[in-house]
Amino acid sequence: MNESEKKLYNHLYYRRKKEQMTKEKDAGNISKAILNLEAIYNEVSNRHLQSPSEYSRMILENLERPIRVLRQYKELKEVFERRIEYILGLVRSAIHFTEMEHKQLEEEDDL
């Protein structure tokens, strides 16, 4: 591996590592948001069971949708990330195969 290839490899490696850390951080933030909303929902729900009020019912109704939407977003995000990784794997394989064919053709031309 020459110097420019090493630099390119290092650049790509660290960029991928940074992207992975950002992805994990985003997933963690979404999970934390869901847990926080669920904790608030459970606390208000418990209080509502002890002493029902219109205000606590309104809070519960307004918390249900954000919790559901965040869960759906998290699930869809994970599905799309897996699909993207699969497609990138296919592209990498195709590039590798094409490079191998190209090398083979160059070797045949040299003979």
Side-chain angles (χ1 to χ4, degrees):
M1 214 187 255
N2 64 29
E3 190 64 30
S4 63
E5 288 175 336
K6 286 180 184 178
K7 285 181 181 179
L8 178 63
Y9 175 80
N10 286 336
H11 173 73
L12 293 174
Y13 173 80
Y14 286 112
R15 188 176 81 193
R16 180 158 172 88
K17 191 78 160 171
K18 183 178 177 182
E19 289 172 357
Q20 184 179 3
M21 289 176 61
T22 303
K23 187 182 351 176
E24 290 171 359
K25 184 179 176 184
D26 289 347
N29 288 340
I30 293 168
S31 296
K32 285 179 188 175
I34 291 171
L35 288 174
N36 288 335
L37 287 174
E38 287 176 338
I40 293 168
Y41 183 88
N42 290 336
E43 181 65 28
V44 172
S45 179
N46 289 337
R47 290 183 184 187
H48 182 71
L49 290 173
Q50 292 171 359
S51 59
S53 71
E54 188 63 29
Y55 182 69
S56 61
R57 187 184 62 74
M58 182 187 67
I59 291 173
L60 292 172
E61 288 174 356
N62 287 323
L63 283 173
E64 289 171 357
R65 180 171 160 72
I67 292 171
R68 186 175 63 249
V69 168
L70 278 174
R71 283 184 185 153
Q72 289 171 347
Y73 172 76
K74 182 180 174 187
E75 291 169 4
L76 283 175
K77 185 176 181 265
E78 291 170 355
V79 167
F80 282 122
E81 286 173 349
R82 284 193 303 269
R83 287 182 183 173
I84 289 170
E85 287 299 320
Y86 174 74
I87 291 169
L88 287 175
L90 291 175
V91 170
R92 286 185 198 111
S93 296
I95 290 171
H96 179 71
F97 180 75
T98 305
E99 287 175 347
M100 296 306 283
E101 274 187 339
H102 184 68
K103 283 182 182 178
Q104 189 177 20
L105 288 174
E106 285 180 350
E107 290 173 1
E108 289 175 1
D109 288 344
D110 290 340
L111 295 177

